[in-house]
């Protein structure tokens, strides 16, 4: 595989992936929507979006962003990666909001969006601040999203087999 792809993938998508992965270890926690329903009578976000999960994601992506920025010898990257990870966490929350609105219950699958929600949100942020510029870096974005899709499916299957996740998606 192209070395540039591997470097850019780990640099830009490593912290958002870490941010998205660690909240899975939170079982229970305080729902961000306080258990409340939207106008349609369904939960605003559901029990899968908690403050503890958000905090876990932020702390783990803080460490990952710092490690990558130091390793890359470019501390300017740190706030970019941290913000990219945070936007990714928000993307996951926004996805849950839309899942509830179209009647998909917490934990039920919405293929592609479940796997790519955070990565799409992080990508939009990176593009907006001039990192991963289009069209030059579009191939890296597309291949990175493909790698995340494959990694997400395989790690979730493993997490399910190990009993960390209740469902294999
Ligand atoms: N999680 C959390 N808080 C967050 C994000 C995730 O506590 N802000 C935890 C929850 O335990 C959640 C798990 O991480 O169940 C996996 O996240 P995700 O797959 O996004 O949630 P789902 O349970 O599938 O819920 P949804 O249908 O809303 O996507
Ligand atoms: Mg989900």
């Amino acid at each position: 595989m192209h070395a540039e792809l591997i470097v850019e993938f780990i640099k830009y998508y490593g912290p958002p992936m870490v941010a998205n992965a660690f909240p899975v270890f939170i079982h229970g926690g305080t729902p961000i929507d306080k258990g409340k329903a939207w106008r349609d009578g369904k939960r605003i976000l559901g029990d899968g979006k908690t403050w503890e999960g958000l905090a876990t994601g932020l702390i783990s992506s803080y460490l990952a962003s710092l490690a990558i920025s130091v390793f890359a010898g470019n501390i300017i990257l740190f706030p970019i990666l941290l913000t990219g990870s945070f936007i990714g966490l928000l993307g996951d929350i926004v996805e849950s909001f839309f899942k509830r609105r179209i009647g998909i219950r917490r934990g039920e699958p919405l293929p592609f969006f479940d796997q790519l929600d955070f990565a799409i949100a992080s990508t939009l942020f990176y593009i907006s601040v001039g990192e991963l510029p289009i069209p030059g870096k579009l191939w890296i974005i597309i291949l990175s999203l493909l790698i995340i899709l494959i990694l997400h499916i395989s790690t979730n299957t493993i997490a399910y087999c190990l009993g960390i996740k209740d469902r294999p998606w």
Side-chain angles (χ1 to χ4, degrees):
M1 217 191 286
H2 208 289
E4 187 185 352
L5 172 62
I6 299 173
V7 169
E8 303 280 77
F9 173 71
I10 294 173
K11 188 163 93 182
Y12 289 110
Y13 292 98
M17 282 169 63
V18 166
N20 195 59
F22 276 86
V24 174
F25 295 99
I26 300 290
H27 287 122
T30 317
I32 294 172
D33 69 4
K34 298 195 186 106
K36 285 185 186 152
W38 185 249
R39 308 185 200 112
D40 55 13
K42 294 168 189 140
R43 283 287 294 275
I44 302 173
L45 300 173
D47 288 334
K49 299 291 112 91
T50 67
W51 288 114
E52 289 83 348
L54 189 60
T56 306
L58 271 178
I59 293 165
S60 49
S61 60
Y62 182 96
L63 297 175
S65 303
L66 190 61
I68 288 178
S69 314
V70 170
F71 186 72
N74 181 7
I75 207 65
I76 296 298
L77 264 179
F78 174 63
I80 296 169
L81 300 180
L82 185 61
T83 311
S85 307
F86 180 60
I87 303 273
L89 285 164
L90 295 185
D92 174 49
I93 293 173
V94 169
E95 192 235 358
S96 291
F97 176 78
F98 284 109
K99 278 175 82 176
R100 301 299 90 82
R101 301 291 72 72
I102 58 173
I104 301 176
R105 292 158 70 99
R106 178 258 166 118
E108 293 300 321
L110 179 60
F112 299 107
F113 291 97
D114 279 333
Q115 290 79 24
L116 295 176
D117 47 17
F118 75 94
I120 291 170
S122 302
T123 301
L124 293 176
F125 167 74
Y126 290 140
I127 294 172
S128 75
V129 294
E131 305 282 326
L132 292 178
I134 281 180
K137 301 281 184 177
L138 186 61
W139 68 280
I140 289 184
I141 293 173
I142 291 172
L143 290 177
S144 294
L145 295 183
L146 199 63
I147 296 171
I148 291 170
L149 193 63
I150 295 166
L151 277 179
H152 202 285
I153 293 168
S154 37
T155 50
N156 275 12
T157 308
I158 294 168
Y160 172 70
C161 293
L162 292 175
I164 299 168
K165 268 204 128 210
D166 296 340
R167 295 157 202 257
W169 49 77

